[in-house]
Amino acid sequence: CDSMLTTGGIRRYSDNEFYFSTGYGRPVCAFPGPGGGVANASIGRMDSLGNVLDLRHYSLNATCFNYAGNLMITAEKDILAWGAEDLFFILRTDSALAPIWARRFSAQGSFRFIKELSNGDLLAGFDLPMAGASVARLSANGDFIWCKSYMRPLGRMHDAIVESDSSFVITGFTSTDSGAKLFMMKLDGNGQVQWCRGYGSGANEWYTPQWSRIERTLDGNYVVLATLGQGGFFFRPFLMKTNLNGDTLWARSMGADGYVYPPRHLLVAPDGGSVLSGVISGPPPHLHPG
């Protein structure tokens, strides 16, 4: 078909304007993607009632399977979109959706987050087969300043908080001889490790396909949302508060018997608490991976 695919991400631009990422299906392509899938990376603009005001799609090199999984809005009001799982590209446009630059990589990788630093540089977290959890610093024009990998070979990058001095704290999972561990790591602006902490999952296991999330609390510490697993499936949300060195202040998990709760998003509430959102499922005859 020749149509717009599902929405990948959405970001508020103004009180009445929102930008969203997606893919635009095309019927003819010399280089189809996985399973014959065909899509150009697409970015759209809509009002608060959901009316699409503008929609552009972009042809990238080497393949026409470039579904845009997420996006962000920079301080200069440019739009930065990147590929969904195993679609390894970044695309930058201005607010009128005119392309500024794009980078498409031949390696099989996945961007997990892209953050803007105070000087306009970009911090990108991604996964690469055998290179594990990786971080790159790029200029505002998309040129690599440095690129480093951590937790090889099976580390997975998830989320990050950028500090005022352009250092950053990242979260993810890594595999060990005793199973997977949730990790939190602080890097300076050159990618040097300042500290690193690993966290066990108690009587359960980690459900590593589900991303962890990190936010700063109102008192200046960190709160992390992850997912516990049971029997290879998602099971319970796991919420942990740490100090600025990654030391655990407290950790909580709860849920009713017979139900599973894969979490999705994390917000810090105005009263200093945390707001979680996700899915409740059960009681199922057979658990099914998300």
Side-chain angles (χ1 to χ4, degrees), residues 71-271:
L71 78 164
M72 62 165 286
I73 299 174
T74 71
E76 296 201 354
K77 299 297 187 180
D78 289 342
I79 314 302
L80 203 74
W82 57 93
E85 185 79 23
D86 292 331
L87 303 177
F88 204 20
F89 71 87
I90 314 175
L91 168 68
R92 185 167 189 157
T93 77
D94 63 20
S95 59
L97 300 183
I100 299 174
W101 55 260
R103 301 287 186 270
R104 181 68 160 85
F105 306 98
S106 58
Q108 185 181 2
S110 300
F111 284 106
R112 301 304 183 186
F113 63 80
I114 298 179
K115 307 283 185 177
E116 188 177 29
L117 304 181
S118 57
N119 69 344
D121 287 351
L122 303 172
L123 182 73
F126 54 96
D127 305 333
L128 289 172
M130 304 309 294
S134 304
V135 177
R137 183 166 181 163
L138 292 76
S139 72
N141 294 319
D143 300 316
F144 278 84
I145 298 171
W146 53 257
C147 180
K148 299 183 179 181
S149 68
Y150 312 87
M151 308 297 179
R152 293 188 294 266
L154 299 176
R156 293 293 179 264
M157 196 64 68
H158 283 173
D159 200 5
I161 285 181
V162 177
E163 305 286 20
S164 58
D165 61 356
S166 290
S167 65
F168 40 93
V169 178
I170 60 177
T171 65
F173 285 116
T174 185
S175 294
T176 68
D177 291 340
S178 58
K181 276 195 172 183
L182 174 71
F183 73 81
M184 184 187 301
M185 181 164 54
K186 184 172 184 178
L187 308 177
D188 67 16
N190 294 314
Q192 298 298 318
V193 177
Q194 304 300 292
W195 53 256
C196 184
R197 303 284 186 270
Y199 308 93
S201 52
N204 295 105
E205 58 199 34
W206 292 115
Y207 185 70
T208 56
Q210 190 67 38
W211 292 10
S212 57
R213 303 290 185 183
I214 182 170
E215 295 287 346
R216 184 180 297 283
T217 60
L218 296 185
D219 61 6
N221 291 302
Y222 305 121
V223 62
V224 177
L225 176 66
T227 305
L228 295 175
Q230 188 177 76
F233 304 99
F234 52 74
F235 181 54
R236 295 277 190 266
F238 173 89
L239 192 67
M240 174 178 66
K241 185 175 182 178
T242 77
N243 64 17
L244 296 182
N245 294 316
D247 299 319
T248 303
L249 300 177
W250 53 255
R252 302 284 189 275
S253 181
M254 61 173 35
D257 291 342
Y259 291 80
V260 293
Y261 303 78
R264 293 291 188 266
H265 299 287
L266 170 66
L267 293 173
V268 174
D271 63 358

Side-chain angles (χ1 to χ4, degrees), residues 13-33:
Y13 184 82
S14 68
D15 288 343
N16 195 42
E17 276 188 296
F18 299 83
Y19 284 83
F20 61 92
S21 61
T22 182
Y24 187 76
R26 301 186 64 196
V28 178
C29 180
F31 304 98

